[in-house]
Amino acid sequence: MLAVALVDRTGSGLWASVSVLYFTYVSGLTIAQIGTLAALAGAAGIAGAPIGGRIADRFPLTRVLVVLQLLRAVASLGLLTTDDYALLLAFSALGSLGERAANVLTKLYATRVAGPDRVRYQALNRTVANAGWALGGLAAAAALTLGTAGAYRWLLLGDALSFVGVALLTLRCGEPAPPSRVVAASHTPAPAGRPANPWRDRLYLGYVATETVLFLDDAVFKVGLPLWIAHAADVPHGLAPLLLVLNNVMVVALQVPVSRFGATTAAAGGLLLPLSLAYALGGLTMALSATGGTLTATAFLIAAAVSFTLAEMVHSTVSWELSVALAPDTAQGAYLGVHGLAQSAQRGIGPLAVTAAIAAGPAGWTVFGAGIALTCLVQHRTVRSRLAQPSLSVPPITLSEH
């Protein structure tokens, strides 16, 4: 699955960095049309997480993943065939739904295969994925030097072919043992009768609600930092892409070492307290970047990027472990599907939150960081009671298929 992550994210890196340019210069869409298309496609993606999770509890996981990757390939190829706005919207929505569903199922696959080493596996997966994003972005940047419509089309074709490659690689992966074949130290006992329903689990829904806020670091790098640098901070605009590179390099270099601090459920829960400090420090340094000259602002912005990147890596470790530990084994897919809604919802809420912080000035960033820090503490209190329950089984051991 690590090879799958590399190929998948390399293809996505080819497309993500040029999608707006493609729709502008090749499809001839207006800014308003592009914004509407992105918003509606993102809304469709929200449904992908719970749908994918529910299906994964009923059918072989690898086969469902293959279908989803082929669905994404069809969606990308469909964009190449038309400039009709309605069809572009339909294909974009289809691709977004497939992407979110595939992300949840890939996480579920790792959970079943890695067993007690799932946190380390996730860290390796994120490292490989970020390397793939970087490779795709560099390839896209090189292709864009041509500045032709053909170059944009080749990048989109490369994205589509990457999904076909991912589907072929997935076919070679063994089907992981279902939850019933795994002895797991879940903190949520499996109920008798039909599988548990995450929509009736108030504690888990409360946890997912706090997760939506903790995922806001994504919007900081994609929207907040570039806009703040462009409109408020006294620094060269070229600093924005450099901070994104810093974020990517830190994740590739440090995600695996950081994950060792959350190798168990108890350790992951304990990371929520230092995580709150990282978010608070990120907001404070963003605010301070508006109080000095160019060198001072640059130093504070670098500090902010480092703080939010550390928060991203720690939260990734915590989120991976708790989202699984809080779910009963008999309904992992359904529960992880609901958890996937947090990241999908953040894509809509995040840009609004960071632009509100920018509009409010330095105080806005301070409140932004403090608000996420407070949410970390709320999440810690929310999950503490369930994590305190004694495990009903022995330490996790994946049973042999033989």
Side-chain angles (χ1 to χ4, degrees), residues 149-210:
Y152 290 113
R153 292 191 175 96
W154 277 109
L155 290 173
L156 180 53
L157 179 61
D159 183 40
L161 292 178
S162 74
F163 299 139
V164 175
V166 166
L168 294 175
L169 288 172
T170 303
L171 282 173
R172 300 182 61 184
C173 296
E175 180 66 23
S180 60
R181 298 291 300 278
V182 178
V183 179
S186 171
H187 289 80
T188 303
R194 62 182 181 180
N197 186 344
W199 297 105
R200 297 179 180 176
D201 189 334
R202 294 183 179 179
L203 187 147
Y204 199 84
L205 291 177
Y207 163 69
V208 171
T210 59

